[in-house]
Amino acid sequence: MPLTFAKPGHTGVIQCIRGKDEARRHLESLGFVVGAAVSVVAERGGNLILQIRDGRVALDRATASRILIA
């Protein structure tokens, strides 16, 4: 399912990142790689605040919808 469907408090494992190579490389540089656990911390103003590894990252809904989790 797309990351945007996850509710705050939900943790999932990244299965796939869709999009162009440059967008995927940007997300990978932020720590969003296949197999990594990602948690939705909060949803604010259309943005998602995510816990990935030891940090938090805010992504807009369009970018977050490219990340598929299980």
Side-chain angles (χ1 to χ4, degrees):
M1 79 174 164
L3 187 55
T4 53
F5 288 1
K7 301 293 181 200
H10 180 81
T11 299
V13 177
I14 298 173
Q15 300 297 311
C16 175
I17 299 175
R18 300 181 297 186
K20 296 182 180 180
D21 287 340
E22 117 183 14
R24 286 197 315 255
R25 279 194 300 269
H26 175 67
L27 288 170
E28 287 173 358
S29 72
L30 294 173
F32 294 92
V33 294
V34 174
V38 60
S39 300
V40 178
V41 176
E43 184 176 350
R44 304 263 166 102
N47 296 324
L48 294 176
I49 300 173
L50 307 167
Q51 177 79 34
I52 184 87
R53 297 188 182 171
D54 292 332
R56 290 188 178 182
V57 178
L59 293 180
D60 63 16
R61 291 190 74 75
T63 304
S65 68
R66 297 176 186 202
I67 301 171
L68 302 179
I69 61 170

